[in-house]
Amino acid sequence: QSVATTAEAAPTKGDVVVLMGNAAGTATLNTDFKFYISRDGGTTWTQATLTDQGDQAGGKIIATAHNVDISGQPSGTSMKWKITTHNQASTKDTRVHAVSLGWS
């Protein structure tokens, strides 16, 4: 989970870019690897539906979600993201290398 960043006004949409990798096995986006956005400091979360945008050198995967509707959350300007991993084991090990969160 990230630290909060203050938006100038209460956003209604979020955008994310994640650089991730599979150290073992293959994680399925939105099942084994989930991304969430909050505009109220982490009290309320909206799951973003990630899309695989292709591989980068070294086997890293670029995953994105654009125009994620966060307008149903309580109004706020304290922006946070969090990632959860599921079904991890010695045969499935997912790593996060970079995260970018934007909003409007």
Side-chain angles (χ1 to χ4, degrees):
Q1 180 172 312
S2 71
V3 297
T5 301
T6 304
E8 291 183 10
T12 58
K13 299 202 180 284
D15 294 291
V16 62
V17 178
V18 178
L19 184 62
M20 59 175 284
N22 292 301
T26 303
T28 301
L29 293 177
N30 309 307
T31 301
D32 301 318
F33 187 87
K34 297 180 181 183
F35 192 95
Y36 298 87
I37 302 171
S38 174
R39 70 176 184 178
D40 64 1
T43 301
T44 309
W45 295 98
T46 299
Q47 184 177 349
T49 301
L50 296 169
T51 302
D52 186 338
Q53 299 297 329
D55 296 347
Q56 191 181 43
K60 294 180 180 74
I61 299 159
I62 301 167
T64 65
H66 300 289
N67 296 317
V68 178
D69 184 2
I70 56 174
S71 64
Q73 295 182 12
S75 187
T77 59
S78 183
M79 300 299 296
K80 284 184 148 187
W81 58 264
K82 78 174 177 178
I83 293 170
T84 60
T85 56
H86 308 269
N87 308 309
Q88 300 291 290
S90 60
T91 56
K92 186 180 292 184
D93 184 11
T94 308
R95 308 282 171 92
V96 177
H97 300 282
V99 176
S100 177
L101 174 65
W103 54 81
S104 60

